[in-house]
């Protein structure tokens, strides 16, 4: 393994935490004897091109410094390559790192963990979801939650958690069940009315909401959570339970474990790892052992 490590940095993550986090993470790696090269990129496309070039050139590891958006971008570069991925989680949600038990908003500790894992062979091969050409590590969301994301993105002038709260209230006012067509593991197409359907490789989205609380990242299967047709009142009662994962026991909620799922619904955008994926329909497949992650 080469001793040169690529540090992939989003300086704007977590309201500027990414820029401050790069230095202690890099210092921890250099103190362990690694040579560190930093990649920023002028935009997401340029950054992805640069890190793909680093992976193709044989970098010893790619260390993503930022939030879930940057971790997701890093997955596009390392999935299926064997190049280890380290995560220095300093974003707002940090769901990918949380599911893996990695340090949150502690860049020195995360950098030291990555360095130790590289020296001692500490890693975990985990599954990834794939939809078209896009890889995802945590949750693919569709329905009420993705519409909240859509609205929140249109309200970014407000900023912060308040944006998400306002988006929820606005979507509740316009709430109606969504007609879906779904196919699980190539079976029969089913037509259902649902509030949302979440496809989990990991357990959480939205900064700790345990929407797919039973998901395992190395079992070769998605955990699919379907919140069925329900009233606004029921949704208001069920939704807060998602933070503990206790929503899964509600009669309106059903779960499935599958290796692939086809989803179709009019006017619904899917989000994967918190980033827009595109309009339904889509097919998502769980790919076992698609990425090697540096862990303790």
């Amino acid at each position: 393994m080469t001793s040169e490590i690529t540090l992939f940095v989003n300086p704007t993550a977590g309201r500027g935490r990414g820029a401050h986090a790069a230095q202690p993470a890099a210092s921890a790696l250099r103190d362990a004897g690694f040579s560190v090269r930093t990649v920023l990129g002028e935009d997401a496309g340029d950054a992805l091109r640069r890190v793909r070039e680093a992976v193709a050139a044989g970098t010893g590891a790619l260390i993503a410094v930022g939030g879930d958006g940057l971790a997701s971008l890093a997955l596009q570069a390392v999935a299926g390559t064997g190049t280890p991925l380290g995560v220095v989680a300093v974003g707002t949600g940090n769901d990918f790192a949380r599911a893996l038990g990695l340090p949150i908003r502690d860049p020195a500790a995360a950098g030291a963990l990555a360095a130790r894992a590289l020296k001692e062979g500490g890693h975990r091969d985990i599954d990834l979801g794939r939809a078209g050409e896009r890889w995802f590590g945590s949750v693919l969301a569709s329905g009420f939650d993705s519409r909240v994301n859509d609205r929140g993105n249109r309200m970014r002038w407000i900023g912060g958690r308040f944006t998400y709260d306002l988006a929820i209230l606005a979507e509740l006012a316009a709430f109606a069940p969504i007609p879906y067509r779904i196919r699980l593991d190539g079976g029969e197409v089913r037509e259902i009315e649902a509030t949302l359907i979440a496809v989990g490789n990991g357990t959480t989205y939205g900064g700790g909401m345990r929407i797919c609380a039973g998901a395992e990242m190395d079992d070769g299967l998605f955990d699919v959570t379907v919140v069925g047709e329900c009233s606004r009142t029921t949704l208001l009662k069920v939704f807060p339970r998602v933070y503990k994962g206790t929503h899964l026991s509600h009669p309106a909620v059903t779960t499935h474990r599958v290796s692939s799922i086809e989803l179709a619904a009019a006017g619904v955008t899917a989000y994967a790892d918190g980033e827009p994926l595109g309009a339904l329909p889509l097919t998502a497949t769980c790919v076992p052992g698609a990425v090697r992650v540096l862990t303790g």
Side-chain angles (χ1 to χ4, degrees):
M1 182 192 75
T2 177
S3 63
E4 182 180 88
I5 303 303
T6 302
L7 205 64
F8 184 27
V9 181
N10 179 2
T12 64
R15 299 185 184 181
R17 282 192 293 266
H20 296 292
Q23 184 174 347
S27 294
L29 288 159
R30 290 190 178 107
D31 289 346
F34 293 99
S35 172
V36 178
R37 172 177 174 252
T38 300
V39 170
L40 294 172
E42 296 178 4
D43 53 35
D46 180 58
L48 180 56
R49 178 185 62 79
R50 290 171 184 255
V51 293
R52 278 179 167 157
E53 288 176 352
V55 169
T59 187
L62 182 65
I63 312 295
V65 184
D68 284 323
L70 192 79
S72 180
L73 201 60
L75 289 176
Q76 313 313 308
V78 298
T81 68
T83 299
L85 174 67
V87 181
V88 178
V90 291
T92 303
N94 304 310
D95 289 294
F96 186 62
R98 182 178 289 106
L100 292 164
L102 299 175
I104 304 294
R105 300 194 185 116
D106 189 344
L113 182 149
R116 187 168 59 252
L118 285 166
K119 283 184 170 293
E120 300 176 1
H123 63 262
R124 181 180 176 192
D125 292 336
I126 65 166
D127 311 331
L128 292 178
R130 190 163 195 180
E133 297 301 311
R134 177 84 165 270
W135 298 92
F136 64 94
S138 297
V139 176
L140 186 155
S142 73
F144 177 78
D145 43 9
S146 65
R147 285 179 171 173
V148 168
N149 269 327
D150 281 340
R151 188 177 291 269
N153 288 338
R154 297 194 297 269
M155 298 166 61
R156 284 190 174 177
W157 54 273
I158 298 174
R161 174 75 193 185
F162 191 51
T163 301
Y164 189 74
D165 293 339
L166 281 180
I168 288 177
L169 291 174
E171 283 303 315
L172 278 171
F175 171 74
I178 298 166
Y180 277 92
R181 295 186 308 280
I182 68 170
R183 187 198 300 262
L184 304 176
D185 282 339
E188 293 183 0
V189 174
R190 299 167 52 200
E191 296 187 0
I192 62 172
E193 298 276 326
T195 300
L196 65 86
I197 299 178
V199 182
N201 183 58
T203 54
T204 67
Y205 64 6
M209 301 167 71
R210 296 176 56 80
I211 187 68
C212 299
E216 299 285 346
M217 300 182 85
D218 55 5
D219 64 355
L221 297 171
F222 291 132
D223 273 36
V224 177
T225 299
V226 179
V227 179
E229 182 178 5
C230 59
S231 66
R232 286 190 188 89
T233 301
T234 300
L235 182 58
L236 283 168
K237 289 180 180 178
V238 173
F239 207 70
R241 293 170 59 174
V242 77
Y243 287 97
K244 293 184 177 179
T246 57
H247 63 293
L248 297 179
S249 64
H250 192 278
V253 179
T254 56
T255 60
H256 311 271
R257 283 197 168 158
V258 299
S259 60
S260 68
I261 181 170
E262 299 173 36
L263 290 172
V268 175
T269 300
Y271 281 71
D273 294 342
E275 300 295 314
L277 181 61
L280 299 185
L282 62 76
T283 299
T285 303
C286 185
V287 181
V291 68
R292 175 160 292 182
V293 181
L294 299 174
T295 57

